[in-house]
Amino acid sequence: MVLSSGNLKVHWLLRRPARMELFKVGGAGLHTKMVRESMRDGRIGVYVHIPYCRTTCPFCPYFKTLPRSRDEVEKYLRAVVGEIDIYGRLLEGGGYEVVEIHVGGGTPSLVPASFFKELYEKLSEYFTLKTNIGMEANPEDLTSSEYAGELYKNEVGEVSIGAQSFNGKVLKALGRKHTVEDNVRAVENAVKAGFKWVNVDLMFLPPSIRGYVEISPKEGLAIFEDDLERALELGAHQITFYPTIIPRHSPGFKLVEQGRLAQDERLVDMFVERALDFAENKKLRLVRVYSISREQYEYATVNLEMVGPLLGLGAGAWSNTGLYQYINVHDVQSYVRLVNEGKPPAAYYRSLRKSTIAWRVLFDQLGSGVVKTRLFNELGVEKIPYSIRAFLELATLAGLLEKRGGDYYLTRRGVVEVYKSVINYVVEIPVKATMILEKYSRQESMPDKIVV
């Protein structure tokens, strides 16, 4: 079975039904009122989506598009700045501090380095910034030491490099255009540029494509082990590892339908175990179940999407005030038009019930490896529900957690099981939601309700 849906086998305690109901945003007035009144506390994260890519990777599950002209990209970047004005004026005076800024895509490294300084300065007009910018970068863009240096000078302090692998066969199987040499130069240039933190993304369980590039499970595992070693040797501060997802709406899924693509999702456990072995041998820290680090520090990313507050900017961005989650329109032209009209580009929303918030807080903490019970109150949950207290005790009895003092730590088995539950969630909710929202965002009339 290929990894195209959330069907990884996990412990029964972690098999929660993945379902989300989204409702069409009815009007700008009600939406902005909800954002202003539900923004939970003074510390917020910011996510900016740059959807442009040079080419379409065959298995990419995220919202992206090919730029038709430089002018189109420039108009989009102006709209992102304009969206900051919309929400900045709404939240101005609230004493908000931005503690995390992450620019993802798409390919953020396609845009001029000067844009990031403009983004930073515009945010500083409305919020107190306690961090600089973290951004995703394609390796081929950082082969230029000049561009890496310009990013550093323009308020970018952290980079996440989408290397995926340091093996040519894997890059070919994934349909990536960059080379192994590009990966090496990109990491070296990022480290030399002086970025505070350099993360390297690695992808395991690559597809084996009959008649094109065939990779056995044994070979794939050996390659993954070499990739981990190479990333660390080159100086990466953090390594994030995830399996190749084969979304049903991706161009590459046709290979599955033709019977040419093979992938065994049952091997995820084995790859995660090898990553944990590597981390233990190298004395690295597990900062997320899918990420290992030299220090107890984590690259700026969208973890605040689970618990909020997170302000998402750009077409396809997700936001979460803590009580109110909304998603921007998944179409560049519609996004630019709405912002230019002075309207929030939010397309769909859902209000979060207290029980939902509590479970999101729990799973966010499980993803970090430790459940700190005091954080429930800090994140808006006044009293831990009985169902969650029962879950913690049952998970401890099942060997997934170990209780120390008042907190709960994932065991090694727990890390593997939570890792798979995270992947199931990603495939069943964000990936499927992207497919559905892209479809409806291009239509004149969108349904009042969407069920993911």
Side-chain angles (χ1 to χ4, degrees), residues 47-79:
Y47 172 70
V48 181
H49 193 73
I50 306 295
Y52 295 108
C53 293
R54 290 187 182 87
T55 59
T56 299
C57 295
F59 307 112
C60 179
Y62 304 112
F63 173 59
K64 71 279 181 187
T65 187
L66 303 179
R68 293 181 291 188
S69 66
R70 285 178 178 267
D71 183 60
E72 179 192 295
V73 176
E74 182 60 29
K75 286 179 179 177
Y76 179 81
L77 298 180
R78 294 304 100 224

Side-chain angles (χ1 to χ4, degrees), residues 95 113-114 161 255 284 293 299 312 318 337 380:
S114 58
I161 302 170
L255 294 168
L284 302 177
S293 175
Y299 166 78
W318 293 49
R337 175 180 54 79

Side-chain angles (χ1 to χ4, degrees), residues 254-420:
K254 292 180 180 177
L255 294 168
V256 178
E257 296 173 330
Q258 295 167 1
R260 293 183 55 204
L261 188 151
Q263 183 194 48
D264 191 347
E265 63 179 21
R266 296 171 299 177
L267 300 178
V268 167
D269 299 55
M270 182 172 64
F271 281 88
V272 176
E273 289 279 6
R274 290 302 172 91
L276 296 178
D277 287 340
F278 177 79
E280 186 176 323
N281 292 336
K282 300 295 182 180
K283 295 181 170 52
L284 302 177
R285 303 179 185 223
L286 189 76
V287 290
R288 288 275 159 182
V289 292
Y290 45 78
S291 201
I292 51 181
S293 175
R294 293 179 187 267
E295 300 176 21
Q296 196 60 43
Y297 180 86
E298 185 178 4
Y299 166 78
T301 185
V302 290
N303 290 321
L304 282 171
E305 190 276 323
M306 281 296 287
V307 298
L310 178 72
L311 180 61
L313 305 166
W318 293 49
S319 299
N320 181 0
T321 68
L323 297 170
Y324 176 72
Q325 186 177 34
Y326 62 94
I327 307 171
N328 279 357
V329 64
H330 279 54
D331 177 70
V332 167
Q333 283 69 43
S334 300
Y335 171 79
V336 172
R337 175 180 54 79
L338 287 166
V339 174
N340 289 344
E341 292 173 356
K343 299 176 182 177
Y348 284 90
Y349 78 94
R350 68 168 180 157
S351 296
L352 299 174
R353 299 190 303 270
K354 287 186 177 181
S355 60
T356 301
I357 294 169
W359 280 99
R360 288 172 75 90
V361 170
L362 172 67
F363 274 87
D364 177 66
Q365 292 195 70
L366 285 172
S368 72
V370 56
V371 178
K372 298 180 179 180
T373 51
R374 64 175 173 78
L375 286 182
F376 280 87
N377 185 259
E378 294 178 17
L379 293 170
V381 180
E382 295 177 5
K383 184 179 180 181
I384 301 176
Y386 171 78
S387 58
I388 289 180
R389 285 186 278 122
F391 170 89
L392 292 171
E393 294 304 320
L394 287 170
T396 301
L397 290 172
L400 304 179
L401 293 173
E402 177 184 311
K403 190 174 183 180
R404 301 180 207 161
D407 299 329
Y408 296 81
Y409 293 78
L410 285 179
T411 62
R412 185 179 178 112
R413 182 187 175 202
V415 170
V416 175
E417 294 301 313
V418 170
Y419 183 99
K420 291 186 292 182

Side-chain angles (χ1 to χ4, degrees), residues 35 39 71 130 148 153 205 211 213 278 341 377 438-439:
V35 172
M39 191 65 74
D71 183 60
K130 295 294 186 179
K153 293 175 185 176
L205 208 64
V213 54
F278 177 79
E341 292 173 356
N377 185 259
E438 278 192 80
K439 172 186 174 182

Side-chain angles (χ1 to χ4, degrees), residues 104-142:
T107 311
S109 54
L110 276 181
V111 306
S114 58
F115 168 73
F116 298 100
K117 185 172 185 178
E118 182 181 5
L119 173 70
Y120 187 88
E121 291 177 344
K122 175 57 70 172
L123 286 168
S124 70
E125 291 180 18
Y126 301 103
F127 309 106
T128 300
L129 306 189
K130 295 294 186 179
T131 184
N132 48 23
I133 295 172
M135 63 167 284
E136 297 173 359
N138 270 14
E140 59 264 45
D141 297 319
L142 291 186

Side-chain angles (χ1 to χ4, degrees), residues 153-313:
K153 293 175 185 176
N154 281 276
E155 304 296 348
V156 176
E158 304 179 15
V159 292
S160 179
I161 302 170
Q164 316 310 348
S165 178
F166 292 91
N167 181 277
K169 282 184 71 174
V170 173
L171 293 179
K172 183 178 180 181
L174 297 174
R176 301 295 172 130
K177 301 303 179 185
H178 62 267
T179 65
V180 173
E181 291 73 23
D182 290 339
N183 283 340
V184 172
R185 290 174 60 194
V187 179
E188 289 176 341
N189 285 339
V191 172
K192 288 177 183 176
F195 293 113
K196 173 185 175 181
W197 210 248
V198 177
N199 175 69
V200 171
D201 280 346
L202 295 178
M203 193 176 288
F204 64 82
L205 208 64
S208 182
I209 306 171
R210 181 164 46 83
Y212 182 62
V213 54
E214 299 181 24
I215 303 173
S216 69
K218 182 178 180 180
E219 183 183 11
L221 185 61
I223 290 171
F224 180 55
E225 291 172 337
D226 289 342
D227 284 344
L228 290 166
E229 290 279 1
R230 196 75 182 278
L232 196 66
E233 288 172 359
L234 288 169
H237 302 111
Q238 182 177 336
I239 303 170
T240 300
F241 50 94
Y242 51 98
T244 309
I245 297 172
I246 317 289
R248 292 182 180 275
H249 66 284
S250 68
F253 194 77
K254 292 180 180 177
L255 294 168
V256 178
E257 296 173 330
Q258 295 167 1
R260 293 183 55 204
L261 188 151
Q263 183 194 48
D264 191 347
E265 63 179 21
R266 296 171 299 177
L267 300 178
V268 167
D269 299 55
M270 182 172 64
F271 281 88
V272 176
E273 289 279 6
R274 290 302 172 91
L276 296 178
D277 287 340
F278 177 79
E280 186 176 323
N281 292 336
K282 300 295 182 180
K283 295 181 170 52
L284 302 177
R285 303 179 185 223
L286 189 76
V287 290
R288 288 275 159 182
V289 292
Y290 45 78
S291 201
I292 51 181
S293 175
R294 293 179 187 267
E295 300 176 21
Q296 196 60 43
Y297 180 86
E298 185 178 4
Y299 166 78
T301 185
V302 290
N303 290 321
L304 282 171
E305 190 276 323
M306 281 296 287
V307 298
L310 178 72
L311 180 61
L313 305 166

